[in-house]
Amino acid sequence: DVYQYHLPPVRRIPPLLWTRIRNDLPNYLSEREADGVNVMNWYHRQFRDTAKERYFKNMNMAIYFHSMIADYYLGIWGGKPKPFKYTEIQRHRFGLTDKEGIADRKVPIQPLVFINKEGKVTRYNLRKFGELPFHLVRSRRFTDLFRNVLFNYDWLHAKLSSCPLQAVLADFEDASINIDDKDARRELMLVADALRLGGAILGVYPNMLAAQLVGRLLPEIGGNPNIKMLLEACDKSGPKDSALIPLNHCLHTPGGPLKYSLEGHQFAVFGFCLTSDYRYMVSISTRFITWDLSTSDLTRDVNPGVEGIMQQLVLSPDNKW
């Protein structure tokens, strides 16, 4: 309805109209930082709740809007003409016979990594990393989710290079909760467990991703098409990040007794204790290291500054000492 009296070459909200909206709603809009970029948000929660009630209460509408947002972050229309529908007023006023048209909507391209003219990485697209998996899951577009996110080597490598491992694993967990296909869920868990097993290495050297996945998941390539797609991408794209790509199965496969590899001590570990709730483990050598056993994360690293190696460790019943 914005363009009732002419057909513009660029179909976007006119800058003057957007300026008027900003000026009319100064106390209701807020600008904040999210994933390294500035975004507009409603200042009051009531506006957000009303928007959810209007646009996301109906399941079909919710899937539609989630899908549209997913298309935006996929960059489907980046630099390309995008279809749109003419209003009845426009068709009557301009004598249009077609119900739809196409126009450049100036939709930005959404790369995984932003690179400058010298070919160096300037920053990662953190906004895409956080939003795309969420909207693909809720729009039930699992094929796109697998191809572009969870079984995509370039995506996994870029996100591991810029985000904690837990952020990557959270995408797999979210998908496994919302998908009904048991075979697909098993593939998701295999890749997630492989990432957990290699977490100590990948947290420091994300370029070892291809080696970790190939070395652990080769026995699972048969009968698992998504894992096969991922490992083929590792063979194709992995060498640009690391020259060490195994040809055979050489690391622990997910599903065995090994769940995590806890690596942090520079010397041999001479003692360890579990906390009373069995969630944390404290290990000693020349330093104290506390591990979160639910995630394998190193939660605390203490150097007591004493010479030699500590050989015995005892925790108090309340875990404070």
Side-chain angles (χ1 to χ4, degrees):
D1 293 338
V2 174
Y3 300 112
Q4 296 186 27
Y5 304 102
H6 72 289
L7 295 177
V10 179
R11 293 189 66 86
R12 300 196 75 184
I13 297 178
L16 180 60
L17 179 58
W18 174 236
T19 302
R20 289 174 56 188
I21 294 174
R22 290 285 303 270
N23 291 334
D24 290 342
L25 302 173
N27 298 324
Y28 303 105
L29 295 175
S30 65
E31 187 171 338
R32 62 183 179 86
E33 187 272 340
D35 298 321
V37 297
N38 292 329
V39 297
M40 299 299 300
N41 199 1
W42 291 113
Y43 186 80
H44 298 287
R45 181 179 176 180
Q46 289 87 339
F47 287 104
R48 295 195 294 270
D49 293 341
T50 301
K52 290 180 180 179
E53 180 72 17
R54 177 171 181 176
Y55 296 108
F56 292 92
K57 185 176 182 179
N58 179 278
M59 180 59 68
N60 291 331
M61 288 185 64
I63 290 176
Y64 170 78
F65 285 116
H66 281 301
S67 184
M68 292 298 101
I69 299 174
D71 283 346
Y72 173 81
Y73 285 107
L74 282 171
I76 291 177
W77 306 112
K80 301 178 182 178
K82 183 179 180 181
F84 65 90
K85 292 183 179 180
Y86 292 112
T87 65
E88 290 299 324
I89 296 176
Q90 289 174 327
R91 293 182 63 199
H92 176 74
R93 177 165 290 153
F94 301 109
L96 302 174
T97 57
D98 296 330
K99 294 183 178 181
E100 296 184 353
I102 58 173
D104 186 357
R105 306 293 293 275
K106 301 298 181 182
V107 179
I109 299 174
Q110 295 284 345
L112 297 173
V113 181
F114 294 96
I115 300 175
N116 60 19
K117 295 180 180 179
E118 288 74 29
K120 296 182 179 180
V121 175
T122 56
R123 66 183 179 91
Y124 290 89
N125 196 344
L126 300 180
R127 188 73 173 158
K128 179 174 182 174
F129 294 155
E131 297 292 334
L132 181 57
F134 177 86
H135 292 291
L136 285 176
V137 169
R138 277 141 193 86
S139 60
R140 313 297 295 177
R141 293 169 57 178
F142 293 110
T143 300
D144 289 328
L145 177 71
F146 294 166
R147 183 172 61 249
N148 294 286
V149 178
L150 300 182
F151 296 95
N152 184 294
Y153 170 80
D154 292 326
W155 170 282
L156 294 176
H157 179 265
K159 189 160 185 176
L160 279 171
S161 299
S162 57
C163 302
L165 175 62
Q166 288 306 312
V168 179
L169 295 177
D171 295 337
F172 284 88
E173 293 170 2
D174 186 35
S176 65
I177 292 172
N178 289 278
I179 196 170
D180 299 324
D181 189 330
K182 293 182 179 180
D183 293 334
R185 189 184 302 121
R186 180 178 180 274
E187 289 187 273
L188 289 170
M189 290 299 96
L190 283 172
V191 176
D193 288 343
L195 294 174
R196 287 191 184 94
L197 288 172
I201 298 296
L202 296 175
V204 182
Y205 304 107
N207 285 344
M208 294 298 294
L209 174 64
Q212 287 288 322
L213 292 177
V214 173
R216 297 185 189 280
L217 294 175
L218 266 181
E220 301 292 342
I221 198 171
N224 294 306
N226 291 309
I227 289 180
K228 180 180 179 181
M229 175 177 65
L230 174 59
L231 296 189
E232 288 177 347
C234 289
D235 285 338
K236 182 179 179 180
S237 302
K240 73 178 186 297
D241 301 313
S242 173
L244 300 176
I245 308 296
L247 296 176
N248 301 291
H249 175 228
C250 58
L251 299 171
H252 287 283
T253 301
L258 179 64
K259 298 299 181 184
Y260 301 114
S261 178
L262 306 178
E263 300 183 21
H265 289 284
Q266 295 180 346
F267 299 94
V269 176
F270 286 90
F272 66 89
C273 282
L274 296 174
T275 56
S276 57
D277 59 0
Y278 300 105
R279 179 176 178 180
Y280 298 97
M281 183 182 75
V282 182
S283 56
I284 59 167
S285 58
T286 57
R287 61 202 312 119
F288 295 93
I289 295 183
T290 304
W291 310 89
D292 186 338
L293 295 181
S294 64
T295 63
S296 78
D297 288 340
L298 189 156
T299 60
R300 193 177 185 187
D301 187 351
V302 179
N303 185 356
V306 298
E307 295 184 1
I309 296 177
M310 296 171 284
Q311 298 184 354
Q312 190 172 3
L313 173 67
V314 177
L315 294 180
S316 62
D318 59 2
N319 303 317
K320 292 183 178 180
W321 308 97

